[in-house]
Every structure is written in C-alpha cells, then in structure tokens.
Amino acid sequence: MYPLTCVDGYKIPLREEVYVLDIVPLTSGPATISSDQQLSVFNPTNLSTGPQVNLLTRHGNITCAKAYDGANAIVCTAGEDGSVSMWDLRRDPREAEVARLTGWNLVAISCMKTMLRSNIDNRVPVLSLACSSAGFSVVAGTELQDHQASILVWDVRSTPTPKLHYKEVHSDDVTELNFHPSDHNILLSGSTDGLVNICDTRITDEDEVVIQTFNHDASIHHAAFLNDTEVFALSHDEKLALYDMAENHENGAATTDFGDMRNVLGCQYVANVFAKSNGTGAVIGAGAHEKEAFELVYLTKGQGWTLDRDSSVGLPGAHSSEIVRSFCFYDEAHMVFSAGEDGYIKAWRPNA
C-alpha cells in the first residue's frame, strides 16, 4: 500500500459536533455539505483558509447533494423538508439559489431576489438526487411515507411541476439515484428494498419504465454505473456485487459477488465506490476507524473484475477515530480529498 500525505485541511469551527456529510467534486474544486446545513466551496490548493463560498441551505436537515453542471459550478441540494435547491456557485451568495423544487412546484428565484411562492403540498424527505445537465433533468428519490416511495423527475427548463412521478418503482426508501454515463434518459435507482432498477425515463407507464432489475438482496447504500453496461451495488451491511445490463446477462444475477467487504478488505465500512473517468476500473474507499485508517482500493477490469491490493493507496491517520463519510480524487492534480464525522475536509498528495 502506498501512503499519501495530508497536505492541507479545514475543520468547521463550531463547538457542537458537525459532520461533513459529502463531497461534490466540481471542476474548480471540492464542494461539501455538512450537518450544520451549509453548502461550502473550497479552493483545492488552500483548504485551510476556509470556504470561498458558504451558503446556508433551507431543507430542515440537508441529506444529499449532486453536481448538475460540475464545469460551471451548478449544484443541487435536498433534504428532509422535501425540497430541492439548485445553486449557481459563481453568483453572489445572496443570489446563488437559482431554483427551488418542492414536490409539485418549481419556484424560480430571479436576480431581483423576488420569489414566486406557492403552496408546498409534499414534504416527504428527499434521500437521493441525480442530475443531468445534458438532459436538463433533476431527479429526487424520497423516503417511504404512507406506503409510497417516489421518484420525481423535473425538466428544469420549463416544467412548473415534475414531468414524471414514479410511485411503484420501489417499495421502500429510495437511497440512490444516478444517470447513465452516456445516455441521459437511463436512470439507475437503489432502495432499502434491496433492488437496483434501471429505468428509461422516456417511458411514463410505471409498468414499463423498469427495463432491468438487479436483486442485491440487501438494503442499498450506494449503486452506480461503472461503464455503459455494468453497475455496482453496495449494501448498508457492506456487501458488494457487480451486475451487467448487457443482453447476455438478462437474468439479472451478479456477474461478480465480492461478499462482505469487511471480511475481504479487513475494514469496518465502505464509504463508496467511484468509477475511474478513463474507464480503467473503479476505486473503493474502505475505512477502519478503530485503526484510524482509510484505504483506496483499485477495482480493475481485465477478463473480469479483480481487487488490486498491491496498488492501493492509504490515508494514514485518516480522520482519526471518526468515520470518513466521503472522498473524491482529481487524477490530473494527483490529489485526493476526504471528509469525515470529525468536521474536517482534508487534502492528500503523494510525497514530493
């Protein structure tokens, strides 16, 4: 294992315990969401000076965030009050919230800070988001409430209400949403019902919208596309498996089942799995908070998918004994960022 060096960091300066919940990688640098309801943007070369932008969100408790347009610093956030906000982080902070989606309503916020208010008829907590600037789409997945878990799809160009509302795709909380890497009509969803579904959002009929189902048989924590046909599913009890939606794998069975990653990697939890942008594989972020350790393990694709422990990268000391909630990597800059329940965001580099 090759160790990286922590070269910079920033801790949220509050007396009460604050978690950094997630990192949203933007072209300009990392953005974070935290349990003090802040959306923050950092200079990747100087974390210690604090956020360049710090925005107070209005979701009750913020739950998730995704980049809508990473190159242009447009981010969506969502939370327990059922609302989704779109932020243009290039704007003056007082004008940064450019749209607010609330169940059946899209509230536009103009540069004059006038807001067209409407009755909010849906306060079901939003647990997951997916965004596609190519498809002008924002998608939210909700908590199960009144025996219904919803997937709501907005066209942000013109639709004052969601253009689609799927109520039967999942039978429990919708915990994960991600678009296909090259087709903005294809949406992956994961749920605590144990299913990962592949949906064609051009289809409005709920009986037809799911074009492929993978039964992971455990509550889904994270799931996403690894490439045009293959997906991973990671459960809340750390079981990892890979699936393929290609025609020769129509039965939906796992093509590679790694099992419980705690046993495989000797870790206590897996934070997430991210595909490499160059298509060479993926990176698994695995932690052991009792050992104050976090490791980036390469998942490589040859004839099949294998774990390359010899090329793994370590973050010595990690976030002390606290859990690492999120990580991201900027390959060209040779930098890794991590965020944890200790309230820190940290930057890591190879030794000079």
Side-chain angles (χ1 to χ4, degrees), residues 178-328:
N178 278 295
F179 277 103
H180 189 274
S182 60
D183 187 342
H184 58 75
N185 297 301
I186 303 301
L187 178 72
L188 174 152
S189 62
S191 167
T192 52
D193 63 9
L195 301 181
V196 174
N197 286 325
I198 311 297
C199 300
D200 187 336
T201 60
R202 291 167 294 195
I203 300 171
T204 58
D205 186 346
E206 289 224 46
D207 293 332
E208 304 292 335
V209 66
V210 178
I211 58 175
Q212 181 76 293
T213 295
F214 305 117
N215 186 356
H216 196 56
D217 200 30
S219 174
I220 300 298
H221 185 199
H222 290 298
F225 290 96
L226 294 171
N227 50 47
D228 279 350
T229 67
E230 293 176 284
V231 306
F232 79 87
L234 174 70
S235 66
H236 285 102
D237 58 358
E238 318 304 343
K239 293 173 183 174
L240 177 66
L242 311 184
Y243 301 86
D244 199 326
M245 55 185 278
E247 291 183 2
N248 57 330
H249 294 286
E250 287 184 348
N251 64 0
T255 53
T256 306
D257 189 348
F258 290 102
D260 190 332
M261 297 303 288
R262 292 170 294 189
N263 298 329
V264 175
L265 297 178
C267 64
Q268 291 177 284
Y269 64 94
V270 174
N272 211 334
V273 180
F274 293 115
K276 298 278 283 182
S277 59
N278 60 9
T280 59
V283 177
I284 301 169
H289 48 84
E290 290 181 359
K291 300 177 183 177
E292 299 187 3
F294 195 77
E295 182 180 1
L296 305 181
V297 181
Y298 289 103
L299 187 58
T300 60
K301 183 172 173 61
Q303 293 296 320
W305 288 89
T306 57
L307 295 169
D308 183 4
R309 294 299 297 275
D310 293 336
S311 299
S312 67
V313 173
L315 309 185
H319 286 252
S320 187
S321 60
E322 300 292 344
I323 290 173
V324 176
R325 283 292 193 105
S326 185
F327 69 96
C328 69

Side-chain angles (χ1 to χ4, degrees), residues 128-190:
S128 53
L129 283 171
C131 301
S132 170
S133 58
F136 303 101
S137 297
V138 174
V139 186
T142 75
E143 186 178 282
L144 181 71
Q145 196 167 103
D146 295 329
H147 310 289
Q148 179 177 297
S150 295
I151 296 175
L152 300 165
V153 184
W154 288 267
D155 182 331
V156 300
R157 292 170 297 182
S158 58
T159 312
T161 60
K163 68 174 184 178
L164 294 168
H165 182 189
Y166 300 121
K167 307 174 186 176
E168 299 174 3
V169 171
H170 289 288
S171 60
D172 212 333
D173 297 350
V174 181
T175 52
E176 185 70 289
L177 292 167
N178 278 295
F179 277 103
H180 189 274
S182 60
D183 187 342
H184 58 75
N185 297 301
I186 303 301
L187 178 72
L188 174 152
S189 62

Side-chain angles (χ1 to χ4, degrees), residues 15-177:
R15 290 183 180 180
E16 64 267 24
E17 187 176 58
V18 177
Y19 294 173
V20 182
L21 302 173
D22 202 2
I23 302 175
V24 181
L26 306 175
T27 302
S28 59
T32 64
I33 57 171
S34 49
S35 59
D36 59 348
Q37 317 312 318
Q38 299 284 341
L39 169 63
S40 305
V41 185
F42 291 87
N43 178 344
T45 64
N46 199 354
L47 297 182
S48 59
T49 59
Q52 294 176 307
V53 179
N54 216 29
L55 300 168
L56 181 63
T57 62
R58 301 182 295 126
H59 303 298
N61 281 313
I62 193 169
T63 55
C64 51
K66 284 282 179 73
Y68 175 82
D69 185 343
N72 289 307
I74 300 176
V75 172
C76 289
T77 59
E80 288 186 348
D81 69 350
S83 67
V84 178
S85 291
M86 181 176 285
W87 308 85
D88 186 339
L89 301 175
R90 300 165 298 181
R91 289 191 169 202
D92 183 293
R94 294 166 295 182
E95 300 171 349
E97 188 180 17
V98 293
R100 189 166 173 86
L101 295 73
T102 51
W104 301 111
N105 309 291
L106 185 151
V107 179
I109 304 175
S110 72
C111 294
M112 300 298 293
K113 297 187 293 182
T114 59
M115 186 181 296
L116 301 175
R117 300 293 296 182
S118 55
N119 292 328
I120 297 173
D121 57 1
N122 181 2
R123 292 198 177 262
V124 180
V126 172
L127 302 179
S128 53
L129 283 171
C131 301
S132 170
S133 58
F136 303 101
S137 297
V138 174
V139 186
T142 75
E143 186 178 282
L144 181 71
Q145 196 167 103
D146 295 329
H147 310 289
Q148 179 177 297
S150 295
I151 296 175
L152 300 165
V153 184
W154 288 267
D155 182 331
V156 300
R157 292 170 297 182
S158 58
T159 312
T161 60
K163 68 174 184 178
L164 294 168
H165 182 189
Y166 300 121
K167 307 174 186 176
E168 299 174 3
V169 171
H170 289 288
S171 60
D172 212 333
D173 297 350
V174 181
T175 52
E176 185 70 289
L177 292 167

Side-chain angles (χ1 to χ4, degrees), residues 27 276-277 329-335 349:
T27 302
K276 298 278 283 182
S277 59
F329 42 86
Y330 288 74
D331 283 340
E332 290 186 3
H334 304 290
M335 291 191 74
R349 280 186 184 274

